[in-house]
Amino acid sequence: MVDFNFTEEQLALKKLAHDFAVNDVKPVAVEFDKISDPKEVHEKFPWHLIEKGSELGLRTTALPEEYGGAGIGILTHLLMLEELCQGDSGFATHFHQAWKMAKLLVERCTPEQRDFFLPKFTDDPRALLAVGITEPDAGCDNLMPYDEPDGGMRTSAVKDGDEWVINGTKHFVASASVSRLYFVSTRTDRSVGVTEGVTVFLIESGTPGFTIGRIHDKLGNRLMMNAEMVFENCRVPDFNRVSEVGKGLSFLGSFGAKHVPTTGAFGVALARAAFEYALEYAKERVQGGRPIIEHPTVALRLGEMASLVEAARAVSIQTAWMADQPDYDSSKGVLSSIFASDVGPKVCDLALQLMGGYGYMKDYPVEKILRDSLMCYHIDGTSDVHRIKIGEMLRGVKTSGYIT
């Protein structure tokens, strides 16, 4: 039976995330958005906010209760992420990544690996998690996938006794410059495609041969801390191998597919933020002797924005609920993510148009929200790639890869 009445725990966690985002994160994020140099953003990164999130239990909330978390599911993840994004969608990504990767660490790693690595996350109030998949010459071909030997990731891992030697570069990795633990996908067999030739390792920051390269300078979401991960003869023991050899893509897909609906939270959250600000602006801005909300063209635009926000939220909530069920169809999550990801930039653009020249000015928040929302077109792969995957599914082609 479908029941979208949220539990008291879900509502409490939702409020906790909202209050932290609005009261603590938002004022800081606005100031960081003014910093043009990404290296300076990294050097001044607001660790006190990560530490406070840890104190509140937000950073570890996805862990099972026996490991100190709240054991949240996909729906609760979605609800909390939407609220965190009201502070800043870039900063919210650090918690979003931690929620996904912490569950992967607990559920898919061996008990010995979990016992060794999990305390490094739980005991350090600054510990964040990241996953390295995308490379300068390999991105969406891992997601489709283009399953031929010449396609997909090139970062190599070569067995040498009881160790693996890793060489290559990852980039566009969210949280890369500030994380403690990294799930790193590597090519262990170039004679086959990515579905059979990728292996995943769990690697700590500070491991010899592993460094953070360029911190990416982006249009928006400056606190997301995307960066390169550079491996130069990085040696890790076989103990750090968390997937079966050659089965790394399905290992990552085991959590990627279920969490696809949460990607839509970014589009919903940013659309909501732009709409709510535009609505208040329309009530106060006077033109032609009356508030502009009384003008039919403005009312029409607000009505379109409201309907898009509510529709995106509804479909995201529905598929997040479905993802918590045992018979989840991951294609539904991809569909909802595509829709919500399109709604985010569209509503932000409508808000900017409604405000005229004021919307374009940095004195008002809509231009930042619009810049942040443009990531929705390519987060976890481009929207067009996901549309192609849906088309493949509709004609009966079985697809695989990181997402499905």
Side-chain angles (χ1 to χ4, degrees):
M1 178 179 177
V2 178
D3 182 2
F4 293 141
N5 290 314
F6 304 136
T7 66
E8 290 185 7
E9 181 185 27
Q10 286 173 325
L11 293 173
L13 288 170
K14 185 173 182 288
K15 184 179 186 304
L16 178 65
H18 175 83
D19 291 347
F20 173 62
V22 173
N23 298 331
D24 297 285
V25 175
K26 190 171 185 177
V28 174
V30 169
E31 293 305 311
F32 268 86
D33 187 63
K34 299 174 184 177
I35 302 175
S36 60
D37 185 355
K39 291 183 180 178
E40 185 179 352
V41 175
H42 173 77
E43 292 168 358
K44 297 180 178 179
F45 185 75
W47 284 110
H48 68 284
L49 293 178
I50 299 295
E51 291 172 349
K52 181 161 186 181
S54 294
E55 292 176 10
L56 295 172
L58 290 171
R59 188 178 60 89
T60 55
T61 192
L63 290 172
E65 292 182 5
E66 59 265 36
Y67 297 109
I72 65 169
I74 306 301
L75 177 56
T76 307
H77 182 148
L78 177 87
L79 298 175
M80 294 178 69
L81 181 56
E82 181 185 343
E83 298 306 325
L84 283 181
C85 286
Q86 300 310 303
D88 182 73
S89 55
F91 187 80
T93 302
H94 299 303
F95 292 88
H96 171 58
Q97 292 285 90
W99 297 342
K100 291 196 298 182
M101 303 302 150
K103 285 190 282 189
L104 184 65
L105 176 55
V106 169
E107 296 173 7
R108 294 303 308 274
C109 294
T110 66
E112 293 77 16
Q113 290 170 332
R114 182 189 63 219
D115 292 345
F116 180 79
F117 286 110
L118 187 59
K120 298 177 183 293
F121 172 64
T122 57
D123 297 351
D124 182 352
R126 290 187 173 191
L128 297 173
L129 308 174
V131 56
I133 300 174
T134 303
E135 299 179 4
D137 295 317
C140 285
D141 49 353
N142 296 310
L143 305 182
M144 285 294 296
Y146 172 64
D147 203 20
E148 298 295 334
D150 62 336
M153 60 192 73
R154 292 166 170 77
T155 295
S156 65
V158 178
K159 190 76 180 295
D160 183 19
D162 293 330
E163 295 182 319
W164 293 82
V165 183
I166 302 175
N167 284 283
T169 299
K170 302 291 182 181
H171 79 165
F172 297 168
V173 180
S175 305
S177 72
V178 292
S179 286
R180 173 72 186 275
L181 295 170
Y182 303 80
F183 287 91
V184 181
S185 56
T186 68
R187 199 64 169 268
T188 46
D189 188 349
R190 286 304 302 269
S191 68
V192 295
V194 290
T195 60
E196 297 178 1
V198 169
T199 304
V200 178
F201 296 86
L202 186 53
I203 302 177
E204 296 183 63
S205 60
T207 299
F210 168 38
T211 57
I212 297 299
R214 180 168 53 108
I215 300 173
H216 298 295
D217 192 4
K218 308 184 302 299
L219 180 67
N221 292 295
R222 304 194 68 80
L223 281 173
M224 190 180 285
M225 306 314 299
N226 303 73
E228 294 176 328
M229 300 165 56
V230 181
F231 298 91
E232 298 176 300
N233 292 322
C234 176
R235 286 182 170 270
V236 296
D238 190 61
F239 178 78
N240 290 49
R241 178 177 55 80
V242 292
S243 76
E244 293 182 48
V245 175
K247 302 299 181 183
L249 217 59
S250 60
F251 173 85
L252 294 174
S254 67
F255 83 94
K258 286 185 71 68
H259 283 85
V260 167
T262 65
T263 303
F266 290 101
V268 174
L270 292 163
R272 166 188 157 189
F275 166 68
E276 289 179 352
Y277 187 85
L279 177 60
E280 293 306 310
Y281 176 88
K283 292 176 181 178
E284 298 174 2
R285 174 68 171 165
V286 175
Q287 289 280 278
R290 54 181 174 163
I292 63 173
I293 196 171
E294 297 180 17
H295 293 270
T297 53
V298 173
L300 182 150
R301 183 158 287 161
L302 287 170
E304 180 181 4
M305 294 164 69
S307 64
L308 287 170
V309 172
E310 289 306 313
R313 177 181 289 113
V315 73
S316 296
I317 288 174
Q318 179 187 31
T319 51
W321 178 88
M322 293 168 64
D324 282 327
Q325 311 310 310
D327 57 348
Y328 171 58
D329 177 357
S330 61
S331 68
K332 305 301 183 185
V334 178
L335 286 169
S336 71
S337 175
I338 291 171
F339 181 72
S341 295
D342 283 348
V343 163
K346 180 176 178 61
V347 170
C348 291
D349 179 63
L350 289 170
L352 184 140
Q353 293 183 51
L354 182 149
M355 293 178 64
Y358 287 107
Y360 196 63
M361 299 296 147
K362 287 184 176 289
D363 297 328
Y364 297 82
V366 169
E367 65 85 26
K368 176 186 182 298
I369 300 170
L370 175 60
R371 284 188 286 111
D372 290 345
S373 75
L374 295 177
M375 75 163 179
C376 293
Y377 289 132
H378 61 260
I379 189 170
D380 277 342
T382 67
S383 294
D384 282 348
V385 163
H386 292 312
R387 287 186 175 89
I388 293 172
K389 289 176 74 72
I390 291 297
E392 295 281 281
M393 294 176 189
L394 291 175
R395 71 184 181 93
V397 176
K398 180 177 175 59
T399 64
S400 60
Y402 166 53
I403 299 300
T404 57

